[in-house]
Amino acid sequence: MAITTLNLRALNRSDTATSGQLVTATSATAADFQDAAGGGKVLQVVSNTWDDVTSGTTSTFALVTGSGTSITPSATSSKILIVGFVSCDHSGNNQIRFKLYDSASEITGASGSGAVSGYDVTVGHTGHDYGTAGVNALPYVHLYSPSTTSAVTINLYFASATTGWVNANHGSSGQRFISNTTLYEIGA
């Protein structure tokens, strides 16, 4: 590892740094006070792990019970990094699909651009029913710009043409699984 030596004699001056400033080398022999880098800092984190079971057959997207995770941004310029996973299963030769919502409104840009309506989803699983149960943990990540300082509640919604389950599987009654959504407020 290389060792670097700064000549800080250039800081022998009468002014002082203000709050939030750092000593920064401006050349090989000079330094100055400069504002610390702004933005990109994690300002708060809220996490929600739930094991509520949601199941059903629905062609329109329905709320996943227990998935609501709320955060109150400290500035309108803040972004919310949404990170999570959903444990799910479905019956038959079909699929289960999920979308991210802010309260009851779909988050624009959090879904793909499917050619078939209802298939432009945040995350989904499709597969064949081989007569055995198998729960899938599907990850999701999205950077959201809510532009508000009011509380934001991120919900997960699902649709499934055959019976779909969240936090349970169709082969074993009584087994419960967990899902999680974690929200990170990122400063601008």
Side-chain angles (χ1 to χ4, degrees):
M1 178 166 84
I3 297 176
T4 304
T5 303
L6 282 178
N7 177 357
L8 293 180
R9 282 179 256 175
L11 280 181
N12 188 8
R13 30 196 278 190
S14 61
D15 61 335
T16 57
T18 60
S19 177
Q21 288 189 320
L22 303 173
V23 175
T24 306
T26 55
S27 72
T29 58
D32 197 2
F33 299 121
Q34 295 184 352
D35 291 334
K41 296 179 179 131
V42 175
L43 304 178
Q44 63 174 312
V45 179
V46 177
S47 187
N48 175 27
T49 299
W50 72 95
D51 68 354
D52 301 293
V53 173
T54 301
S55 65
T57 302
T58 176
S59 59
T60 59
F61 284 83
L63 177 66
V64 172
T65 305
S67 68
T69 309
S70 297
I71 192 168
T72 304
S74 59
T76 57
S77 58
S78 291
K79 296 184 183 310
I80 305 299
L81 180 61
I82 304 166
V83 178
F85 68 91
V86 58
S87 298
C88 63
D89 193 11
H90 60 86
S91 65
N93 185 10
N94 219 307
Q95 69 280 319
I96 186 167
R97 305 177 312 275
F98 297 91
K99 289 187 177 189
L100 289 170
Y101 280 65
D102 181 343
S103 296
S105 299
E106 183 180 348
I107 296 177
T108 305
S111 299
S113 55
V116 178
S117 179
Y119 289 84
D120 48 347
V121 297
T122 302
V123 66
H125 180 265
T126 205
H128 301 282
D129 183 7
Y130 295 110
T132 59
V135 171
N136 299 281
L138 305 179
Y140 51 91
V141 177
H142 180 69
L143 186 60
Y144 180 44
S145 302
S147 300
T148 186
T149 55
S150 298
V152 172
T153 300
I154 303 301
N155 289 305
L156 200 58
Y157 277 59
F158 87 104
S160 185
T162 58
T163 304
W165 291 268
V166 174
N167 292 336
N169 64 28
H170 74 284
S172 301
S173 60
Q175 283 188 330
R176 297 284 286 269
F177 300 88
I178 61 169
S179 297
N180 175 277
T181 297
T182 302
L183 307 177
Y184 300 83
E185 180 185 1
I186 309 298

